Amino acid sequence: MLRVTVLLMITLCGKVLADTETCEEGQIKGLCDCNRYSQCLNGLWQREEDTPSGKKYADICRNCTEEDNKGGCSEHREKVVCNGASLNNDDSTGGDVEMCPCECEFKEQIEFWKNKPPKELDDIIESKIIEMKKELQVNLSQLTSTKIKKISAPDSRMSASMTGYVGVVFIVLVLGFIVILDFPTLVLQVQRLFRSFKAK
C-alpha cells in the first residue's frame, strides 16, 4: 500500500513539475488525437482545458504528424507544442498561416492612383464625386413623405367618424340658418323682378 501511495505521489509531482516549466507566451501544447490542450500564460503552462467545440488538438495545431494522431488521450505520449495558433480559427496552422490567394485588382488601383499627377487626380476625383451625386440623387416627388401630404389617411375609430358627422351637421345648420334669414328678402326680390318684366 505504501508503495502505491509513493508511486502516485511521484506521478502527480512529475505532472505538476512538467506543467510548471517555463514557456513562451501564446504557445499551446496538447495531444494531437485528444480534445484538450495546455496554454502558456505568464510564462507557465496552465492546466488543460477543453478545445473549442470539442475539436481535436490537431485541428488547432497543424504541427501534428500522422503518427501523432494515434493513441487518443494517453498521457504517456509526448505533447506537441504549437506556436501562435489561434484557438478560435479553423484555419490556424501553428506559426505559418496559409493565406488566401490575393487578386491584384486592389494593388493595381493603388499603382494607378500613386502614379497620377496631382492635377489629373483632382479632375478624376471631381468627376467621381459628380457621378456619385447623380447616383445618390432621388426624385422628391416619388418620396413617401411627399405623397402622404396629399392623401388623407383612413381612420376607422368611432370618435373620428363622429367628429366628421358633427362637423358636417354644423356647417349645414349655419348655412341653412343664413339662407332662412334671407329667404323673405329673396322672395321679394324675385317678385319685383317678375313685375318689372311684365311692365315691359
Side-chain angles (χ1 to χ4, degrees):
M1 185 66 181
L2 183 60
R3 287 182 179 179
V4 173
T5 306
V6 170
L7 187 60
L8 282 172
M9 290 294 291
I10 292 171
T11 304
L12 289 172
C13 287
K15 180 171 176 55
V16 170
L17 289 173
D19 277 345
T20 55
E21 63 180 293
T22 56
C23 56
E24 292 182 21
E25 196 72 19
Q27 287 183 323
I28 58 174
K29 69 176 179 178
L31 296 166
C32 295
D33 200 24
C34 190
N35 65 342
R36 287 176 296 161
Y37 67 94
S38 296
Q39 188 172 12
C40 183
L41 297 171
N42 301 321
L44 294 174
W45 291 111
Q46 300 297 319
R47 63 187 181 83
E48 292 184 340
E49 303 285 350
D50 290 335
T51 58
S53 304
K55 298 177 182 176
K56 291 183 180 179
Y57 180 65
D59 295 329
I60 297 173
C61 180
R62 303 295 173 82
N63 292 348
C64 292
T65 64
E66 188 174 342
E67 187 62 29
D68 293 325
N69 281 285
K70 298 174 182 176
C73 295
S74 172
E75 294 293 342
H76 299 293
R77 304 181 65 254
E78 185 178 350
K79 294 182 180 180
V80 176
V81 176
C82 193
N83 291 312
S86 170
L87 300 179
N88 299 317
N89 191 349
D90 292 338
D91 297 325
S92 303
T93 55
D96 297 328
V97 178
E98 192 176 317
M99 300 186 72
C100 299
C102 177
E103 294 182 4
C104 296
E105 183 182 351
F106 185 66
K107 185 179 178 183
E108 288 172 2
Q109 288 181 5
I110 293 173
E111 293 295 329
F112 172 81
W113 290 102
K114 190 168 67 174
N115 296 326
K116 293 288 181 186
K119 179 71 173 85
E120 193 173 343
L121 280 176
D122 290 342
D123 294 339
I124 294 171
I125 291 171
E126 189 174 351
S127 65
K128 291 286 184 186
I129 290 172
I130 292 170
E131 284 180 22
M132 289 174 66
K133 281 183 177 178
K134 286 181 180 177
E135 289 176 7
L136 296 173
Q137 199 169 14
V138 295
N139 188 352
L140 296 178
S141 63
Q142 298 301 316
L143 293 177
T144 306
S145 58
T146 305
K147 291 179 180 179
I148 61 176
K149 287 179 182 177
K150 301 176 181 179
I151 299 172
S152 297
D155 193 342
S156 58
R157 293 176 300 170
M158 180 62 71
S159 58
S161 301
M162 291 304 298
T163 303
Y165 292 141
V166 169
V168 170
V169 169
F170 179 76
I171 292 171
V172 169
L173 286 177
V174 169
L175 292 176
F177 184 69
I178 293 171
V179 171
I180 289 170
L181 286 175
D182 286 339
F183 189 72
T185 306
L186 181 62
V187 171
L188 288 173
Q189 292 294 333
V190 170
Q191 285 177 350
R192 284 179 185 174
L193 185 63
F194 276 114
R195 285 174 190 166
S196 65
F197 277 123
K198 287 179 181 180
K200 293 178 181 180

